Amino acid sequence: DHRVDEAELEEELEDRNKTRKVEGELLDPEKRERVKADLEGTWRFIDTPRYLVIYNCDDNLAKYIAKRVEYMREYAFERVFPPVEPIEECMIVRVCKEMDEYYHYGAPRGSAGYWSSGDDELVFPDLSQSKKPDSKTIGVMHHEAFHQYIHYALLKNSLPIWFNEGMAEYYELGEPHGKTLRLGQVEMNHVALLASKQRVPLARFLFMPPKAFYKAAPLSYSQAWALIHMLRHGDPKYRARYAQ
């Protein structure tokens, strides 16, 4: 009976719904309902004005992430990179309860999070040991959420890989401060790696294809972060030189 199936689905979705109170309308309700209807197992969800957060982690952590991703969108990404056109699609964030579930879901080995434009999902695991918000989990979310946002903001066109990854690394360290994201912190791991390795010449680095960039991932990420940091916070005479 089709009516019985609809009633059962409605009851199941009600059980999964952990939505915190939001003001105004939810963006893209049709997409939200399609995604929710495909949920299986113990996945729950939280609606925010512009995101649908699907999760298997702790409820309080999921609520924190739902609030933070909206914050990053409003007070970080959109302020620096206003979308070419208004973004009409709801963005999907999926938080796995642990690394095993994350890999079982299909994540690339060795990664801590990823944005898949093909699957239209940002996916990362709870990396903490205490089921509380931790800097590593939130940092990964900042990083991948930038990739997701800029994909939509630029009408699904791509950026140079050094800029996309460099900005994501830059935002990874961001700390909320009221309605302003505090940025510009120095990532000492990047500094140490750059001091110990032979860097790719800038003229070649700026045009590296993704395959070459990711083949030398640790150094590439560090060099991309350093270039973005210099352009945004370095000596003005150097910023002016690279802007030409």
Side-chain angles (χ1 to χ4, degrees), residues 64 67-68 71-72 74-76 79 142 171 173-185:
Y64 185 92
K67 184 177 181 180
R68 177 64 72 87
Y71 176 96
M72 292 296 292
E74 182 172 359
Y75 298 117
R79 287 189 176 184
H142 284 191
Y171 279 122
L173 298 175
E175 298 177 355
H177 184 67
K179 294 184 178 181
T180 302
L181 187 71
R182 186 175 292 155
L183 292 164
Q185 300 89 326

Side-chain angles (χ1 to χ4, degrees), residues 4-18 33 35-45:
V4 172
D5 290 344
E6 287 186 348
E8 289 178 350
L9 176 59
E10 184 175 349
E11 183 177 352
E12 179 181 344
L13 291 179
E14 184 63 31
D15 289 339
R16 297 178 190 271
N17 188 358
K18 305 297 179 183
E33 293 310 309
V35 174
K36 292 173 186 178
D38 288 337
L39 292 179
E40 297 179 350
T42 57
W43 293 102
R44 289 98 72 201
F45 64 85

Side-chain angles (χ1 to χ4, degrees), residues 161-167 169 194 205 213 219-229:
I161 191 65
W162 72 267
F163 188 86
N164 201 345
E165 292 294 0
M167 285 302 305
E169 288 288 299
L194 290 168
F205 183 71
F213 185 98
L219 181 60
S220 296
Y221 277 92
S222 293
Q223 193 164 344
W225 166 84
L227 183 53
I228 292 295
H229 195 279

Side-chain angles (χ1 to χ4, degrees), residues 101-146:
E101 181 177 70
Y102 172 69
Y103 287 136
H104 182 74
Y105 188 70
R109 287 283 168 177
S111 67
Y114 68 94
W115 151 246
S116 170
S117 58
D119 296 323
D120 195 20
E121 280 194 340
L122 185 170
V123 185
F124 61 97
D126 176 7
L127 298 169
S128 71
Q129 301 296 318
S130 61
K131 295 185 178 181
K132 293 181 180 180
D134 67 296
S135 59
K136 191 170 183 180
T137 302
I138 301 305
V140 168
M141 186 272 286
H142 284 191
H143 181 117
E144 301 302 334
F146 173 74

